[in-house]
Amino acid sequence: MKEFFDCLKCKECGRTYPKEAQHVCEFDFGPLEATYNYHKLKKYVTRQLLESGPHSMWRYEAFLPLEESPTVGLHTGMTPLIRAHRLGKVLGVKELYIKNDAINYPSLSFKDRVVSVALSRARELNFSIVSCASTGNLANSLAANAASSGFKSYVLIPADLELAKVIGSLVYKTKVIGIRGSYDKVNRLCSEIAGKYRWAFVNVNFRPYYAEGSKTMGFEILEQMGWEIPDHTVICMASGSLLTKIDKAYREAIICGLVEDKPYAIHGAQALGCNPITAAFKKGTDLIRPVPNPSTIAKSLAIGTPADGFYAIQTIRRTGGFSEDVNDLEIIEGIKILAETEGIFAETAGGVTVGCAKKLIEKGHIPPSGKIVLCITGNGLKTADVLKDHLQPIQIIDPTIQDFDKIVAL
Ligand SMILES: *Cc1c(COP(=O)(O)O)cnc(C)c1O
């Protein structure tokens, strides 16, 4: 494979670091990020080259921080981007698209992208045990990919997650450790463990590698839009990493001449019950006030101290986007209109994206013209319980034509 991955670099001071299992700058504690030789990369990548690559996220491998060809998650990505005529009509916009990672492979969320990169890198660096702090989907993806690639795995989650997400990890025979407390507590414990055991924590010591995987969702959007940056992209946020990386993909595509440089807006979406990024954005500050006790049905987004929140706000501001939030009822409404109009069953995080998009359009932050992409990041079957009291009950009848006639006539 052709390699363009240069080094890790502190996002604050720019100091560079070797390509190891390291994630913070020793001088100012800034996060480390993968950087590339854009001079060479620009000469190498073309639309034709990328289009002729594998039907997976790995067609963008030149933009990913690996030294060898990938070994994990070879079937991940290239999820559908669909034109959402019917939802667009309901929301009052002309050209709406859904990027649907609810059907990503193998574990039905965008987290398959980040895990594929992190575990491929973990193998390159000779780690044999992989782990993560998770709000559910990351645990599912790590467990599934570890099972199929022969890593031993441990996942740490808040003990009160949805049953489907707990089972969706246990089934792969990973060790599931439920922590009494919020995600922030889980994450803090993982940092401590990572200091003591030589494990690859995909979102702690492997975070620079993990995070780059999210860019592939951005590259796919560009290619599937016919190599054009959408005017508006709406992205739900937990740590804020996905949002910043979709923007990084857009900027790298501009640098490499894959798309025309033009103004575009990146919009953030959070649940009202855990909205540290949106609250800071709306207050006009960069200073994120942690949410110590998140309370929302969107558990996958319930991170009270978002690691990339500061950078997410910078991205939203720089691009002229907006950050919105929605309450639990609005989340359920969002899930329902997406399902009823487009036949897509998203998890609560998708309800946040759709609900916030609706508000952004109503308030004029997204105009009715222009190309709009909503990023759907997880699958509704994993959080189906939240809909229990919000749908029509099923009708139960005796197996007779008379009973059937009666209910059809109604
Ligand atoms: C993890 C997750 C996100 C957001 O992830 P960040 O990169 O931490 O902002 C969004 N949607 C779903 C379904 C997730 O599981």
Side-chain angles (χ1 to χ4, degrees):
M1 127 181 209
K2 279 251 194 290
E3 196 207 333
F4 305 96
F5 173 32
D6 228 0
C7 59
L8 300 180
K9 195 170 179 179
C10 173
K11 268 182 112 155
E12 290 304 317
C13 69
R15 273 192 182 81
T16 59
Y17 288 84
K19 310 171 192 179
E20 286 162 11
Q22 194 172 356
H23 66 116
V24 278
C25 178
E26 289 160 5
F27 294 89
D28 56 15
F29 303 106
L32 304 186
E33 184 174 49
T35 61
Y36 303 82
N37 184 332
Y38 289 112
H39 187 67
K40 277 200 209 156
L41 187 53
K42 189 173 164 175
K43 285 192 199 148
Y44 174 74
V45 293
T46 60
R47 292 178 183 179
Q48 291 74 10
L49 178 87
L50 296 168
E51 285 166 5
S52 65
H55 190 77
S56 73
M57 61 179 263
W58 294 107
R59 56 176 55 201
Y60 309 107
E61 120 181 308
F63 294 92
L64 295 172
L66 297 182
E67 292 179 273
E68 319 260 340
S69 293
T71 51
V72 180
L74 299 185
H75 305 283
T76 297
M78 273 321 252
T79 56
L81 178 86
I82 62 135
R83 176 80 192 264
H85 289 282
R86 292 163 57 86
L87 180 59
K89 206 162 185 190
V90 170
L91 298 183
V93 292
K94 286 207 190 77
E95 205 174 338
L96 184 70
Y97 298 83
I98 305 286
K99 176 62 172 168
N100 188 6
D101 264 17
I103 54 167
N104 207 356
Y105 184 91
S107 76
L108 307 175
S109 86
F110 100 90
K111 292 297 195 307
D112 291 326
R113 300 176 183 277
V114 286
V115 167
S116 299
V117 177
L119 293 200
S120 290
R121 186 65 184 144
R123 178 152 287 155
E124 290 181 358
L125 294 180
N126 284 318
F127 281 74
S128 54
I129 300 178
V130 295
S131 187
C132 67
S134 172
T135 55
N137 283 314
L138 179 57
N140 293 172
S141 184
L142 185 98
N145 281 295
S148 64
S149 55
F151 284 102
K152 189 165 184 193
S153 67
Y154 291 79
V155 303
L156 286 84
I157 54 174
D160 68 347
L161 282 192
E162 300 93 341
L163 181 63
K165 288 210 176 127
V166 177
I167 290 182
S169 291
L170 284 170
V171 70
Y172 305 106
K173 218 170 176 199
T174 183
K175 279 261 186 304
V176 179
I177 302 167
I179 308 295
R180 286 180 216 101
S182 66
Y183 173 84
D184 284 338
K185 301 240 165 76
V186 179
N187 195 40
R188 217 163 300 138
L189 176 62
C190 283
S191 292
E192 223 179 308
I193 301 169
K196 185 167 175 187
Y197 295 78
R198 194 179 178 275
W199 291 4
F201 274 89
V202 296
N203 55 345
V204 183
N205 51 343
F206 272 70
R207 193 168 179 86
Y209 305 103
Y210 157 99
E212 290 289 287
S214 290
K215 289 194 306 190
T216 60
M217 193 163 180
F219 287 124
E220 288 174 21
I221 290 170
L222 298 178
E223 183 178 340
Q224 291 168 322
M225 292 289 291
W227 296 110
E228 189 185 346
I229 307 179
D231 303 298
H232 299 272
T233 309
V234 185
I235 304 155
C236 57
M237 303 180 290
S239 73
S241 175
L242 172 66
L243 181 141
T244 65
K245 293 297 178 170
I246 287 180
D247 173 65
K248 189 179 183 194
Y250 291 0
R251 285 182 292 126
E252 288 180 341
I254 293 170
I255 291 172
C256 293
L258 297 169
V259 292
E260 211 174 292
D261 192 358
K262 68 163 199 184
Y264 63 86
I266 302 278
H267 304 275
Q270 289 205 295
L272 189 62
C274 185
N275 66 348
I277 304 176
T278 291
F281 178 88
K282 286 185 173 175
K283 258 174 63 189
T285 168
D286 288 341
L287 218 66
I288 293 190
R289 184 186 291 220
V291 174
N293 297 304
S295 166
T296 168
I297 56 170
K299 294 186 182 186
S300 59
L301 302 180
I303 296 186
T305 310
D308 292 290
F310 171 80
Y311 300 106
I313 290 179
Q314 302 289 315
T315 300
I316 296 166
R317 287 226 175 90
R318 194 192 77 240
T319 62
F322 201 81
S323 198
E324 205 33 277
D325 48 23
V326 282
N327 65 32
D328 285 354
L329 260 180
E330 292 168 317
I331 294 172
I332 285 168
E333 245 354 271
I335 294 174
K336 286 171 70 176
I337 53 169
L338 179 62
E340 289 164 15
T341 55
E342 299 297 336
I344 293 171
F345 187 13
E347 74 148 83
T348 44
V352 169
T353 304
V354 174
C356 286
K358 181 167 180 277
K359 273 193 178 172
L360 291 166
I361 292 162
E362 282 166 2
K363 293 183 178 175
H365 298 296
I366 297 179
S369 60
K371 300 179 181 183
I372 307 163
V373 173
L374 309 187
C375 294
I376 297 302
T377 48
N379 193 292
L381 292 172
K382 296 196 197 185
T383 62
D385 285 359
V386 301
L387 295 173
K388 243 181 1 215
D389 303 325
H390 298 272
L391 303 172
Q392 298 268 325
I394 64 164
Q395 291 183 288
I396 299 173
I397 60 170
D398 286 325
T400 67
I401 196 72
Q402 291 82 355
D403 267 25
F404 182 76
D405 286 346
K406 259 186 255 161
I407 61 156
V408 171
L410 279 179

